[in-house]
Amino acid sequence: GGQMRADKKQRKKDSYAGIAEKAKPVKDPLERMKVISVELYRLKREFTMDDLRKVASILGKDSPEDMLARLLEHNLVYEASEGTYRAV
């Protein structure tokens, strides 16, 4: 069972890279945030700051805290439960 768990972990890591790749060419910061939130929603339904951190570290453009603040400010996500977010 150990190999299957490693494969699943790798797929999720690749998913974050895929989200970053989709968001990277988007010039407008708000549109980029929207792409990231929608893709995280598709991947997980609900996402956390840790998920944003993983995408942000690959993108290297915005801090995850800034991303979340902008997403909330522009009503692109809402807090589903404490520390867990969903795209609108």
Side-chain angles (χ1 to χ4, degrees):
Q3 182 62 36
M4 193 166 148
R5 188 174 293 132
D7 289 347
K8 193 171 186 169
K9 227 179 195 174
Q10 183 62 40
R11 265 200 309 271
K12 201 152 240 172
K13 186 177 179 203
D14 291 345
S15 298
Y16 292 118
I19 292 169
E21 286 302 310
K22 283 184 180 179
K24 200 171 232 168
V26 180
K27 298 281 184 244
D28 180 76
L30 194 56
E31 278 301 309
R32 189 169 51 246
M33 303 296 147
K34 190 173 185 177
V35 168
I36 292 167
S37 67
V38 167
E39 292 302 320
L40 281 172
Y41 177 77
R42 285 184 182 152
L43 177 66
K44 299 185 70 184
R45 295 287 176 227
E46 294 182 345
F47 59 90
T48 64
M49 178 63 84
D50 194 44
D51 297 312
L52 280 176
R53 199 169 280 119
K54 288 174 185 170
V55 175
S57 72
I58 297 166
L59 265 178
K61 291 184 187 264
D62 306 288
S63 78
E65 293 80 11
D66 288 345
M67 288 169 60
L68 182 58
R70 257 189 254 140
L71 288 167
L72 289 167
E73 177 186 337
H74 293 282
N75 297 313
L76 296 173
V77 299
Y78 67 95
E79 195 166 10
S81 60
E82 192 173 335
T84 306
Y85 304 90
R86 283 189 177 176
V88 175

